[in-house]
Amino acid sequence: MMSTSLPSRKLFDQDWKRVSFWGSICALSQVFICLVGLPAELNRRILIESTLSLGYLFIIWVPLVFGYVVSKMVELEGVENPKPGAAELLSGAITGLLGGLGLVVLMLGIDNFDLRDPLLNWNPKLLRLLTFENSIGFGSMIWLLVGVGLGVFGASLHQMTTRIRKMVAYAIFGLFTLAVLEDVIDDLSEGLRLEWLSDMIYAKRGGITVTSTIVIAVVLAALPLLTRGKVKEAVSRYRSSDNPAEQQRNSIVLFALVAVVFLVLPWFLGGIINELLANVGLFLLLALGLNIVVGLAGLLDLGYVAFFAVGGYTTAVFTSPNSPWFSPETHFGISLLVVVVMATLAGLLIGAPVIRMRGDYLAIVTLGFGEIIRLLFLSDWLKPYLGGSQGITNIPGIDLGPWEVRGADPRSVFYMVLAFCVLAIYVSWRLQGSRIGRAWMAIREDESVAEVMGINTVNSKLMAFVVGAVLASFSGAVLAAKVGSVFPKSFEILVSIIILVVVIVGGMGSITGVMVGSLVLIGILGGPRQPGLLQEFQNYKLLIYGALLVFMMLKRPEGLVPTARRTRELHQEEYLQDAWLGDDDSEQQEEAGERL
Amino acid sequence: MSEILKKKFKKRVSGVDRFLTFIRVLMATLIVVGVLAFIAQQVWPENPFTEWRNPDARGLTGDQFKGLIVSGLSQGAMYGLIALGYSMVYGVLGFINFAHGEVFMVGTMSGWITSEKLHDAGLWESNFILSLFVIIFVAIATSTVTAVITERIAYRPLRNSPRLIPLITSIGVSFFIQNAALGLFGPTSKGYPRLPEWLSKQRSILTVEIAGTKILVMVVAAVSMAGLWYLVERTQTGRAMRAVAEDKEIASLMGINVNRTIVITFGVGGAMAGVGGILWGLLFRSVTHMTGFLPGIKAFTAAVVGGIGNMGGAMAGGVFLGSAESIAPMVILEPLGVPGVSQLKDAVAFTVLVLVLLFKPSGLFGERLSQEDRA
């Protein structure tokens, strides 16, 4: 290898085409975000007192990201790369500047033309927001400066040392998390009688106060300096302990810790947060079921909501006194047995016809089944039995002797959901390593090979459908008891898609991934009808879910918390290449050894 | 020896196969019984079956029946136009472009905006033909651009990944476009301006009462189909498209620019969806951000019915599906005594999809796919 490094590029030695391309994309995205109405709608949520709202955040992340992208250099192996320098910073600045220009043009446009007829958000409200209730000149100056600043900042991320980059990342993500979790921390500190804590961090009208922002940012940035990778070391030590007994002890301790946290936490939380956690749990249950169907067996079931609906409606028919046709008014426990039977039947009924189809046909046909079931629930035909669009109301809570699980008491619902989730996690975990679980994974990877190896693919796939269906129906049953009513409207195709996003973002086939995915997505953005921590997202949830799905598929198809096997499958070529290179190395070593 | 073999084969018929046969027989019986009951009800309204299942049936008059067929045909022509996009993309890239329904919606939306503006300018009344050309042109342009951009951003990087990955991506694209339209234009239903009297009035052609709009829809669909047929079968570009659909690698060895051809395929599919979008606007005169979802899935059904990858099949499948969903509720379900059949129109469309895939997965006219996609 050469020891000399190439000098960094000259300041104006730019790839102008590339810079202007990314700059105009940056401008277009910012204008698009403004016109879709994100800033105006999200402006209500303040993140940092009197400085930054969620709405503005949604505009300013764009130049940062594009500044980062535009100044990224293609790393070529075996070739000396020029050192990043001022030229990269300049290209970032230009990108940000072009983005700011886009906003300036938008402001001038809103001021001079009236396009409100088709474009809903082409209105003075947006203009006021963009100009900070000041003149257009003032607004333009601010946006140009912000664009240049963030573009440079984004570009400079490449040039920081790892440690500084880590500090910056800790500070930014920590602050963002803290701002998002405002409600939770408020709630928690009230429950723990630590009101002074939340009063210190958060301002009265929402958002972190400016002083605590600075303090927290400094503390967070100092964290990596203080720990110096000790945490990482501990984690890796914990993971890689060779002694099986120790490993077992470790995992028992971890499990006990998590269990205690989840059992104790609800007592310190208010109703809203408990309700939110219960929703997260319901969707986690659904996602764990879909994880078996999609993640393990590789069957893309887009009509998964059908099983959710079966669970909900069966519970409603069996427990509600208002069920129009057949109302035995049984206890929830008995109806749960019926739910299992019905879900198994539904799984077999939907699974059997689709099992022989190609993967993508299977997706569309299950989607069709999901819609057929919803349309049947909605139709006049089944109205005398299932109530049509009015649904079935007045479903009683779950009577558990001394306790009663009712929707009005979110804490009890949370515990109920938690019990089901623990069951589902245990089942998925045990299934994963079992014979059938390995059969599923084999089918996912290559069906014909799996068949040749003696796996009964038809039965295994049906099994996956049935297990997924039963888990989803549990979720439906608890939902029915929680809400107290079921309507066809609650079982739209949207539910299937959102669960699919949860599974994919978390990581297909990974239980931890699915847990993380549902906690982050359902907890922060919310489910199809349930608000999350950022309730302001209500109307834009699906936009973000859609964008997230595309982004994950393009950049990280294995998910946030991937399983090793899935990653290898999806990045087969890179692995093969690495293996090949590795071989090369070992050969060289061998040669060296021989020479010695 | 043969005894053993027989035994073995007997064992090979699994429960799933028996169940599928049962479903096939059941569905076929239901359809036959429904049709027979319908005929009986028309010929002899007091027959015992009708008395039992559907006592207050009045049957269909000849005019009503013709009306159902005509509206089925005109809607089917529209489904056919959208189905072409699915079929072509599946033929070339081997994945279901779930977002194609949204490309159609974008066409309808842009047609609404343009027609609104033309209406304000007064051109819509004074020169309807010209404004029709303008809105079709605008819709084709926007839909084509949308299709090409999605290809560039979302699908091209995934060209060599497993088949389900681009499908999942296209679901994401679909939801993104849908909700971007919701954010940009709001949730209200937007109405196309009123069509001129001379076009929308009922006409009587060969004893069939038919609204002029429906004739226009069928004519436009037929013309676009003819244009597409010419493009695919008679031009150099079309030949390149067929070659790429057959085998991408060999096509590129033959000097065909595969990337360009794929972009053209997406573009042409988008243009057809744009035309379909305008036809939707003329037929139903309203559009929301959800407009693309159901027609999209139905058009995919049409493509499967006709045999995916087969363009004539896609058009025929569209017409078949359109007629089936308009006739089947009245002809099969109502005589069986199912109440509120008009609500089940969409369910019928999905059932057709399931049935075709159960009975004849390669479609009525056979699929045209390359060897690798058929696997």
Side-chain angles (χ1 to χ4, degrees), chain A residues 50-129:
Chain A
S50 71
T51 321
L52 184 68
S53 75
L54 195 59
Y56 284 114
L57 181 70
F58 253 80
I59 308 180
I60 61 168
W61 67 267
V62 180
L64 200 147
V65 168
F66 281 99
Y68 181 80
V69 170
V70 80
S71 56
K72 196 171 180 177
M73 273 185 295
V74 189
E75 298 262 342
L76 293 174
E77 252 174 81
V79 177
E80 201 77 359
N81 289 306
K83 266 222 175 91
E88 274 69 36
L89 293 186
L90 182 69
S91 57
I94 296 170
T95 312
L97 184 76
L98 285 174
L101 273 178
L103 287 179
V104 173
V105 170
L106 177 68
M107 281 189 274
L108 290 174
I110 295 178
D111 201 32
N112 292 319
F113 304 101
D114 184 19
L115 293 181
R116 266 168 100 172
D117 188 8
L119 293 169
L120 209 62
N121 291 299
W122 190 276
N123 54 22
K125 195 177 161 201
L126 180 62
L127 186 65
R128 273 204 304 280
L129 186 125

Side-chain angles (χ1 to χ4, degrees), chain B residues 271-291:
Chain B
M272 288 292 140
V275 176
I278 292 301
L279 299 187
W280 171 282
L282 295 179
L283 268 180
F284 300 103
R285 300 220 354 254
S286 91
V287 51
T288 70
H289 63 285
M290 289 302 289
T291 297

Side-chain angles (χ1 to χ4, degrees), chain A residues 380-399:
Chain A
D380 283 350
W381 183 26
L382 296 182
K383 195 171 178 180
Y385 312 104
L386 299 171
S389 60
Q390 274 102 46
I392 300 174
T393 51
N394 219 348
I395 302 167
I398 306 167
D399 186 14

Side-chain angles (χ1 to χ4, degrees), chain A residues 118 120-121 356 360 365 380, chain B residues 17 90 183-185 297 343 357:
Chain A
L120 209 62
N121 291 299
R356 295 272 166 78
D360 43 0
V365 172
D380 283 350
Chain B
D17 288 316
Y90 202 103
L184 288 175
F185 307 114
I297 297 174
Q343 295 165 330
L357 286 176

